[in-house]
Amino acid sequence: MLAAAAFGLLASGSDWACAGEGAPAVTRELRERAVETLRRTLREEERWVKVHAAEFLLGLDYPDDVEEVFEEELARSVDEPEYRIGIWRVLARAAARPEDRDSWTDKIRDVFLDPSSPDRLHAVESLAKLGYAAAGEGIEPFEKAVGGSDGRMAAYAGWVLVNSGVEGAEGRLAELLTSTEPGARMAASY
């Protein structure tokens, strides 16, 4: 919760996020406190809270310690379904070299492509958030997931198809906004 509040302050630039006219400016001191809150969250919190703090820090161009912390997380949780996907997603975002980013993204994609994987949904969500674009025959598994019965999987796979420039993908993703399945609506609106 604190990490999200800190991110909101930082992401707003010089004004409070969503604040009305006359809102106080984000001072240098407040910005530094918000960054320190995110860094403390990165060091002290557990699992997904740590993932989100790392992503906030990376998104705001404060990469210090993120990769090192998540290399340690990887060593502890490499075989832990779902959380390993979050770790790989952070390592992909933190990678300085495109080939390293691609290596982490390929690991996530391989989990999605395995229909027996217990963290397949987390994989496709992470691919979507990473801006993954499938090409050629690689598009077919995402097309299949869009037509499947899992609404959240369909939405995230649809997002990958949008990232991939597939014609009509935006419309199909938008249709999920009116799905009777709450999970599909939530994922599509994300």
Side-chain angles (χ1 to χ4, degrees):
M1 185 76 99
L2 282 176
F7 176 73
L9 287 173
L10 292 170
S12 67
S14 62
D15 297 323
W16 288 88
C18 304
E21 194 172 312
V26 175
T27 65
R28 177 182 219 90
E29 178 185 346
L30 184 55
R31 175 176 276 274
E32 289 172 5
R33 284 184 25 218
V35 169
E36 182 50 40
T37 297
L38 289 169
R39 287 186 173 142
R40 187 175 51 252
T41 300
L42 175 70
R43 291 187 309 268
E44 297 174 3
E45 292 295 332
E46 298 295 321
R47 302 170 48 83
W48 290 102
V49 175
K50 185 182 292 272
V51 167
H52 294 128
E55 290 181 314
F56 291 152
L57 286 165
L58 291 169
L60 295 166
D61 201 25
Y62 291 95
D64 295 348
D65 300 326
V66 171
E67 193 167 12
E68 294 80 16
V69 166
F70 274 84
E71 289 289 346
E72 292 172 13
E73 288 296 301
L74 179 64
R76 281 193 295 272
S77 305
V78 69
D79 293 323
E80 190 174 332
E82 298 175 6
Y83 185 48
R84 68 181 178 161
I85 302 296
I87 294 169
W88 296 346
R89 185 172 80 209
V90 169
L91 290 170
R93 288 182 193 252
R97 300 178 329 157
E99 56 269 22
D100 293 336
R101 177 185 165 88
D102 292 346
S103 176
W104 291 115
T105 303
D106 289 349
K107 288 175 77 68
I108 297 168
R109 185 208 52 222
D110 292 347
V111 170
F112 168 72
L113 293 175
D114 179 0
S116 66
S117 179
D119 46 0
R120 193 167 181 247
L121 177 64
H122 284 75
V124 73
E125 176 184 2
S126 288
L127 290 170
K129 289 178 177 181
L130 287 168
Y132 178 78
E137 291 179 13
I139 291 174
E140 184 180 339
F142 296 97
E143 290 277 5
K144 189 174 181 180
V146 167
S149 61
D150 183 327
R152 291 186 309 161
M153 178 81 70
Y156 292 127
W159 186 356
V160 169
L161 293 177
V162 170
N163 294 342
S164 305
V166 172
E167 189 173 328
E170 284 184 23
R172 289 190 295 175
L173 183 57
E175 287 174 10
L176 290 172
L177 292 169
T178 59
S179 171
T180 58
E181 185 183 337
R185 287 193 311 270
M186 181 207 61
S189 67
Y190 185 85

